[in-house]
Amino acid sequence: MRALLLLLAGCGLSDDELERLASERVQAALAEPQTCSVDEDCEIIGLSGSCFDLCWGVIATSNRGPVQAAMAEAESEYCADYTGTFIRPPCVPPGEAACGDDGMCTER
């Protein structure tokens, strides 16, 4: 069933819809708790593909794999069908990743 969904994921969608869906896939991975104990548990990661660009995000190093997997899925499921020329948004350079007082990764 998943294979069928993957095949149908981008069928008939506009480039804007593909970009939105790809971005949402990555944002869902970022929505997972990014918990930490020390600053070294956190990192800044680039969040872009060939049809989406969320610039960067602060994640827990333990969540690097799932976030990278979500970006790869977004690329294969949505960006593969993107036919236009994707224009990247300007991105403000990130600060430093840190573990906040609440035990969640944040930007300092």
Side-chain angles (χ1 to χ4, degrees):
M1 181 68 170
R2 176 141 168 89
L4 178 59
L5 292 174
L6 291 176
L7 286 173
L8 297 176
C11 292
L13 299 175
S14 72
D15 283 349
D16 287 342
E17 291 169 316
L18 292 167
E19 179 183 345
R20 179 184 56 78
L21 290 168
S23 295
E24 287 175 357
R25 173 66 55 91
V26 176
Q27 289 169 336
L30 291 173
E32 294 299 315
Q34 305 296 328
T35 58
C36 56
S37 298
V38 295
D39 288 347
E40 290 75 23
D41 293 340
C42 305
E43 68 179 306
I44 302 286
I45 186 171
L47 301 170
S48 63
S50 63
C51 75
F52 68 95
D53 195 335
L54 301 173
C55 295
W56 54 267
V58 180
I59 64 166
T61 55
S62 61
N63 285 341
R64 182 184 311 130
V67 171
Q68 289 176 330
M71 288 192 295
E73 290 170 5
E75 187 68 35
S76 65
E77 293 177 25
Y78 302 110
C79 296
D81 294 322
Y82 194 92
T83 59
T85 301
F86 179 67
I87 299 172
R88 298 200 179 279
C91 294
V92 175
E96 294 179 19
C99 186
D101 293 337
D102 60 356
M104 301 296 287
C105 292
T106 187
E107 179 193 10
R108 188 179 315 169

